């Protein structure tokens, strides 16, 4: 099971060794986003070598094995001689490198490469250790293969673009310069290789790109959900909300523990607030965007928790085809482990969950800037009319929310057959995971606007003091985002807070003070 260890942020993980234990979500992020070094354990090396020996045996025996001594897809009936086995693997890479559009983000490419190493290192794929060593070196030396991100139905094309580099083909960035594949390897002191039997197929098959997107989205989604508790709490405080809606007795009669934990988080974040103390009886009840924080945030967390289990299982699985077993005389079983439906459905669910979190956050932003309901100056500026204040950041949140709503439409319910109807059911998990990744970033921007607005609103409550946790967030944001007294260029302010959320600084500032928020 994945553990999100708040006391050890991924950027603090410097080395990730494969093969000893299951790989955690934080380790995926450490390599993909923060450049942690990848190592192979002896156990990893031993099982890769044992698996390769089975492939060599199959070749000697000329045994019929999909993708080894046969063609691919609907060409499965075409026999391939041992003399042509290597050519077959080169052909699959070149012919499958057909994704289009803008290249994938650096962290996505690195996450995919790491997941290829984890997948093929399970010892069921028959890939030579030297191929995996080259991928490891590419990762550790920060070489980024050029891999367009549009047009995949679940796997194959982006991975093929990455595999071109291993043969000295395609393109890659090295030290910020986009080079031909062989030149990038040469500058890093590496040599291309010729892919052997089964290797081209293994490098393009599987759920690696789907799981990479999903893992990145999951990490950011979990962090965003915890940060949303903080943003929602400060908004509640600034809007004179009543803490009584978070009484544990209310939540004890609803059988969703995530709801009760969220309510306890809000109470803990707002502990010691003079503002909350003064206004706890100010209204009989608040608007739903404040009153229903435990219910909405809690439901989102439940979805992310379910996704966490599935994605963890997928990270540490073998998603190749065929699957090779070394026991007895060796056996190759042809199946469908490359299918990404497990992760795809969870990614669709994460997208819907994060859309709900964005929805309630945007409504709190509107209440903060809307003087008709906030009892604060219009658009949170002391001299409205001459100044627009935070009028338009709410528009930005609304625009982002609209994009999120569009992206939250499930992808995995669709189907378009491929490969002459040999592959007649297609998961479209790639699209599901990719849009969950996109949504996670848009959600962080909406939360940034909420925090920016809520912190500004606290200024109008002086001399009443906010809670110590709210004050910590206030101080952190105010390092780079001063109080707004008149209109200025707000884009840098939003970006600053976005990065504080994305890097976990907002969450960390609160958890250091009041201990980890419940999940």
């Amino acid at each position: 099971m994945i553990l999100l260890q708040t006391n050890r942020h991924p950027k603090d993980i410097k080395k990730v060794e494969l093969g000893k234990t299951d790989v955690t979500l934080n380790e995926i992020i450490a390599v993909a986003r923060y450049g942690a070094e990848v190592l192979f354990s002896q156990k990893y090396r031993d099982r890769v070598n044992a698996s390769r020996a089975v492939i060599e045996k199959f070749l000697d025996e000329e045994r019929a094995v999909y993708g080894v001594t046969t063609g691919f897809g609907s060409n499965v009936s075409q026999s391939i001689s041992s003399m042509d086995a290597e050519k077959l693997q080169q052909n699959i890479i070149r012919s499958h490198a057909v994704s289009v559009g803008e290249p994938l983000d650096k962290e996505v490419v690195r996450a995919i490469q790491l997941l290829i190493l984890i997948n093929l290192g399970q010892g069921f794929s028959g890939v030579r250790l030297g191929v995996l060593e080259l991928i490891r070196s590419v990762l550790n030396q920060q070489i980024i293969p050029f891999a367009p991100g549009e047009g995949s139905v679940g796997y194959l094309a982006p991975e093929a673009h990455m595999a071109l580099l291993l043969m000295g083909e395609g393109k890659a960035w090295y030290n910020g310069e986009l080079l031909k594949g062989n030149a990038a390897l040469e500058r890093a002191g590496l040599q291309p290789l010729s892919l052997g039997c089964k290797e081209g197929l293994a490098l393009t098959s599987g759920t690696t790109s789907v799981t990479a997107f999903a893992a990145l989205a999951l990490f950011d989604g979990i962090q965003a959900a915890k940060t949303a508790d903080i943003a929602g709490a400060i908004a509640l405080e600034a809007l004179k909300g009543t803490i009584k809606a978070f009484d544990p007795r209310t939540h004890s009669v609803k059988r969703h523990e995530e709801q009760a934990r969220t309510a306890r988080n809000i109470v803990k974040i707002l502990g010691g607030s003079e503002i909350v103390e003064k206004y706890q009886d100010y209204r009989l009840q608040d608007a739903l965007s404040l009153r229903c924080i435990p219910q909405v945030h809690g439901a989102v967390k439940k979805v992310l928790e379910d996704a966490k289990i599935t994605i963890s299982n997928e990270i540490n699985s073998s998603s190749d085809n065929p699957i090779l077993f070394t026991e007895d005389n060796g056996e190759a079983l042809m199946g469908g482990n490359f299918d990404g439906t497990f992760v795809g459905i969870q990614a669709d669910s994460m997208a819907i969950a994060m859309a709900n979190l964005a929805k309630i956050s945007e409504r709190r932003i509107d209440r903060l800037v809307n003087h008709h309901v906030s009892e604060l100056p219009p658009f949170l500026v002391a001299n409205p009319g001459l100044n627009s204040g935070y009028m338009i950041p709410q528009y930005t949140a609304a625009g982002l929310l609209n994009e999120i709503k569009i992206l939250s439409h499930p992808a995995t319910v669709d189907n378009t057959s491929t490969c002459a109807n040999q592959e007649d059911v297609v998961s479209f998990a790639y699209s599901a995971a990719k849009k969950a990744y996109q949504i996670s970033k848009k959600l962080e921007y909406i939360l940034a606007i909420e925090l920016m607005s809520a912190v500004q609103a606290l200024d109008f409550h002086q001399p009443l003091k906010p809670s110590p946790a709210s004050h910590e967030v206030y101080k952190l944001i105010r390092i780079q985002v001063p109080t707004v007294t008149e209109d200025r260029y707000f884009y840098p302010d939003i970006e600053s807070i976005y990065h504080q959320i994305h890097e976990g600084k907002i969450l960390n500032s609160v958890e250091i003070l009041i201990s980890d928020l419940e999940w």
Side-chain angles (χ1 to χ4, degrees):
M1 188 171 174
I2 295 176
L3 298 177
L4 187 71
Q5 302 159 315
T6 54
N7 60 343
R8 194 182 187 205
H9 193 275
K11 64 186 172 187
D12 298 323
I13 300 173
K14 303 304 179 185
K15 296 179 185 293
V16 173
E17 186 174 17
L18 304 185
K20 286 188 174 180
T21 59
D22 283 355
V23 179
T24 67
L25 177 61
N26 276 16
E27 288 174 326
I28 299 289
I29 305 303
V31 173
R33 186 169 290 171
Y34 298 105
E37 182 183 5
V38 178
L39 305 172
F40 292 163
S41 68
Q42 189 58 48
K43 182 178 179 181
Y44 181 100
R45 297 172 185 276
D46 290 344
R47 65 194 189 197
V48 167
N49 288 331
S51 179
R52 183 62 191 179
V54 173
I55 283 290
E56 301 294 344
K57 178 181 175 63
F58 292 164
L59 280 176
D60 291 341
E61 297 174 351
E62 297 185 352
R63 195 184 301 189
V65 177
Y66 172 73
V68 177
T69 55
T70 76
F72 305 116
S74 66
N75 288 329
V76 65
S77 60
Q78 302 295 318
S79 297
I80 304 297
S81 70
S82 58
M83 295 177 56
D84 289 331
E86 185 173 305
K87 181 66 173 176
L88 177 69
Q89 303 306 312
Q90 294 172 350
N91 283 350
I92 190 175
I93 298 301
R94 290 168 180 152
S95 66
H96 285 42
V98 292
S99 53
V100 297
E102 294 298 313
L104 294 171
D105 291 348
K106 173 182 175 180
E107 67 176 12
V108 175
V109 172
R110 290 179 58 81
I112 295 171
Q113 289 177 299
L114 176 60
L115 282 157
I116 288 171
L117 293 179
I118 297 168
N119 176 35
L120 303 186
Q122 299 292 331
F124 301 104
S125 294
V127 175
R128 288 172 298 162
L129 182 62
V131 175
L132 304 183
E133 288 282 14
L134 181 55
I135 298 172
R136 186 175 74 92
S137 296
V138 166
L139 265 173
N140 289 341
Q141 297 198 43
Q142 302 288 325
I143 304 170
I144 310 300
F146 175 88
E150 304 292 331
S152 175
V153 298
Y155 51 100
L156 299 177
E159 292 88 344
H161 279 279
M162 297 179 200
L164 283 173
L165 175 65
L166 306 179
M167 303 191 301
E169 301 177 19
K171 296 184 289 184
W173 282 273
Y174 184 62
N175 289 336
E177 186 177 357
L178 184 59
L179 305 166
K180 291 184 177 180
N182 58 354
L185 292 176
E186 183 179 353
R187 289 199 189 180
L190 302 173
Q191 294 292 324
L193 48 74
S194 295
L195 294 177
C197 181
K198 177 68 166 57
E199 291 172 342
L201 175 62
L203 288 168
T204 54
S205 189
T207 64
T208 51
S209 59
V210 170
T211 309
F213 270 123
L216 289 162
L218 174 63
F219 178 85
D220 290 339
I222 290 173
Q223 189 164 257
K226 287 189 170 186
T227 304
D229 284 359
I230 298 168
I234 301 175
L236 177 86
E237 187 176 27
L239 289 166
K240 304 176 184 177
T242 175
I243 199 68
K244 291 183 177 181
F246 304 88
D247 188 306
R249 292 172 294 180
T250 297
H251 305 285
S252 69
V253 298
K254 195 77 175 283
R255 295 190 180 186
H256 299 300
E257 186 55 35
E258 297 84 4
Q259 173 181 323
R261 292 180 192 135
T262 301
R264 291 195 292 268
N265 283 345
I266 302 302
V267 172
K268 186 161 67 169
I269 292 165
L270 295 180
S273 170
E274 293 180 0
I275 303 170
V276 168
E277 179 67 24
K278 178 175 179 179
Y279 293 108
Q280 61 179 320
D281 295 314
Y282 187 69
R283 296 188 191 95
L284 187 62
Q285 64 179 21
D286 292 306
L288 297 184
S289 58
L290 302 176
R291 193 188 344 151
C292 290
I293 287 174
Q295 290 80 2
V296 176
H297 290 204
V300 171
K301 293 171 186 175
K302 178 63 167 63
V303 171
L304 295 175
E305 185 66 22
D306 291 344
K308 186 170 70 172
I309 296 169
T310 297
I311 293 169
S312 175
N313 288 337
E314 194 70 36
I315 286 170
N316 294 290
S317 296
S318 177
S319 60
D320 202 359
N321 179 50
I323 298 293
L324 309 178
F325 293 91
T326 60
E327 294 83 2
D328 301 326
N329 194 39
E331 190 171 5
L333 297 180
M334 277 60 81
N337 278 5
F338 52 82
D339 181 85
T341 302
F342 273 102
V343 175
I345 289 175
Q346 292 295 341
D348 274 336
S349 298
M350 285 197 295
I352 293 169
M354 288 187 286
N356 276 272
L357 200 58
K359 177 177 71 176
I360 194 171
S361 176
E362 186 279 328
R363 287 294 81 202
R364 291 193 296 260
I365 294 168
D366 181 72
R367 297 195 76 82
L368 285 162
V369 302
N370 183 349
H371 69 280
H372 296 293
V373 294
S374 70
E375 301 180 19
L376 295 165
F379 308 112
L380 299 174
V381 67
N383 187 13
L386 179 63
N387 296 289
S388 294
Y390 284 159
M391 178 193 295
I392 305 304
Q394 186 268 328
Y395 287 39
T396 303
L400 290 166
L401 179 59
N402 181 257
E403 293 177 19
I404 289 172
K405 289 176 181 177
I406 294 168
L407 290 169
S408 65
H409 176 80
T412 54
V413 298
D414 195 11
N415 188 56
T416 302
S417 296
T418 57
C419 201
N421 216 39
Q422 172 74 2
E423 298 170 0
D424 56 345
V425 176
V426 175
S427 71
F428 288 106
Y430 181 90
S431 299
K434 182 181 177 183
K435 64 189 182 61
Y437 177 71
Q438 294 169 331
I439 287 172
S440 69
K441 296 189 180 304
K442 296 177 193 297
L443 170 60
E444 288 174 322
Y445 274 113
I446 291 174
L447 291 173
I449 294 170
E450 181 180 1
L451 281 167
M452 182 178 73
S453 303
V455 163
Q456 177 75 7
L458 289 179
D459 284 323
F460 295 104
H461 285 282
Q462 295 176 5
L464 290 177
K465 294 180 180 178
S467 75
S470 297
H471 187 57
E472 281 300 308
V473 175
Y474 180 94
K475 289 190 299 182
L476 180 62
I477 290 174
R478 285 287 178 253
I479 291 172
Q480 294 182 300
V481 181
T483 297
V484 177
T485 56
E486 60 182 6
D487 285 349
R488 64 169 184 259
Y489 183 36
F490 291 131
Y491 168 80
D493 296 353
I494 299 170
E495 287 290 332
S496 170
I497 302 171
Y498 164 81
H499 286 292
Q500 289 176 333
I501 294 170
H502 190 66
E503 294 298 318
K505 292 180 180 179
I506 297 287
L507 177 59
N508 188 55
S509 70
V510 170
E511 292 192 323
I512 286 175
L513 186 68
I514 63 173
S515 77
D516 287 4
L517 297 179
E518 293 189 61
W519 176 252

